[in-house]
Amino acid sequence: MTTQHETLPDRLGSTPTGIAPGIHVPLIRLLAEGEPVTIAELAAASAQLQDAVREALEAAGDAEYDEEGSIIGLGLTLRPTPHRFTVAGEQLYTWCALDTLIFPALIGKAATVESTSPTSGTTIRVRVAADGTAASVHPSTAVVSLVEPDAPGSVRSSFCNQVHYFASHADAQPWIDAHPGGEIVDVATAHRTGATMASALLDAAAIPAPAAQDSSCAPDRAPATAPTRTAPHSCC
């Protein structure tokens, strides 16, 4: 029987948030610096006109903005969620558990994840290597919930909001009871799904994977392959 972890890469494809990878991947790398991202900065990083970036973000629908209109979230976010994602000393958050296993490979840096089980309140801690591999998991019995995303609609409400870490299969049982079509997988299986999705994003964006760095010894500046903050384009 085919299960969610096998079909998700095809269902979500290379545009899991509904935005072109050539814009989404540079946005993830900029947000990983821990600051809001202006439209001008994202346009420069993605080699797109500012109007094209605005249209892509509007079409995606789920992007988060601050009061000045700068982007603060699209999968990776500056707003608190149950999934805390620390990379190179920056305290960030993700929309779902699976994001925590996708984004390190996109930004090329290791991350520390602390996620709260929605059933027991237990904190699950995962150390994710720069290639997205789960280097350590505590408790070792931790699992991840997956669902089949609805289409069309908001990927955050139809998918992300149901993709959690749990301390164990027993901890996840109330969630399974409430979501009989869902699936519970171990973290290693979730990582394989995330790795496939990260590879698809990089391929579709035609952006090379950044040189992997251990965030505990990463230099202060961004790696050469990551987009850097530049002056805005003169035209938009």
Side-chain angles (χ1 to χ4, degrees):
M1 179 180 67
T2 302
T3 52
Q4 278 89 343
H5 73 271
E6 296 172 310
T7 60
L8 275 177
D10 289 334
R11 282 296 306 273
L12 293 177
S14 58
T15 57
T17 59
I19 192 169
I23 296 175
H24 193 201
V25 173
L27 176 58
I28 292 298
R29 293 180 181 178
L30 287 171
L31 286 170
E33 297 176 16
E35 298 292 338
V37 178
T38 67
I39 296 294
E41 288 171 335
L42 180 54
S46 59
Q48 299 284 330
L49 297 178
Q50 292 184 38
D51 282 347
V53 169
R54 288 191 187 95
E55 290 173 4
L57 290 167
E58 289 173 5
D62 285 326
E64 300 172 281
Y65 300 89
D66 65 11
E67 294 179 354
E68 284 72 41
S70 294
I71 310 151
I72 59 172
L74 191 63
L76 185 65
T77 180
L78 307 185
R79 284 183 178 156
T81 75
H83 315 288
R84 295 175 293 281
F85 184 84
T86 304
V87 58
E90 297 293 342
Q91 176 66 76
L92 307 166
Y93 303 86
T94 70
W95 285 358
C96 74
L98 192 59
D99 286 338
T100 68
L101 302 172
I102 295 174
F103 295 154
L106 299 185
I107 62 180
K109 294 181 181 178
T112 300
V113 177
E114 291 185 329
S115 185
T116 304
S117 163
T119 57
S120 66
T122 301
T123 298
I124 294 88
R125 294 178 173 84
V126 183
R127 169 74 175 175
V128 187
D131 62 356
T133 304
S136 66
V137 181
H138 180 79
S140 60
T141 54
V143 294
V144 175
S145 61
L146 299 174
V147 294
E148 194 74 12
D150 295 330
S154 164
V155 69
R156 187 170 191 180
S157 61
S158 68
F159 177 73
C160 299
N161 289 349
Q162 298 302 330
V163 180
H164 310 285
Y165 281 103
F166 295 89
S168 64
H169 279 272
D171 187 30
Q173 191 59 51
W175 182 90
I176 281 290
D177 293 342
H179 302 83
E183 181 185 12
I184 297 297
V185 299
D186 58 32
V187 176
T189 299
H191 158 252
R192 288 193 292 273
T193 299
T196 299
M197 295 175 69
S199 179
L201 278 166
L202 291 169
D203 288 347
I207 296 174
Q213 296 182 11
D214 183 336
S215 63
S216 63
C217 58
D220 290 336
R221 64 180 179 84
T225 51
T228 54
R229 304 282 169 111
T230 61
H233 289 309
S234 58
C235 61
C236 58

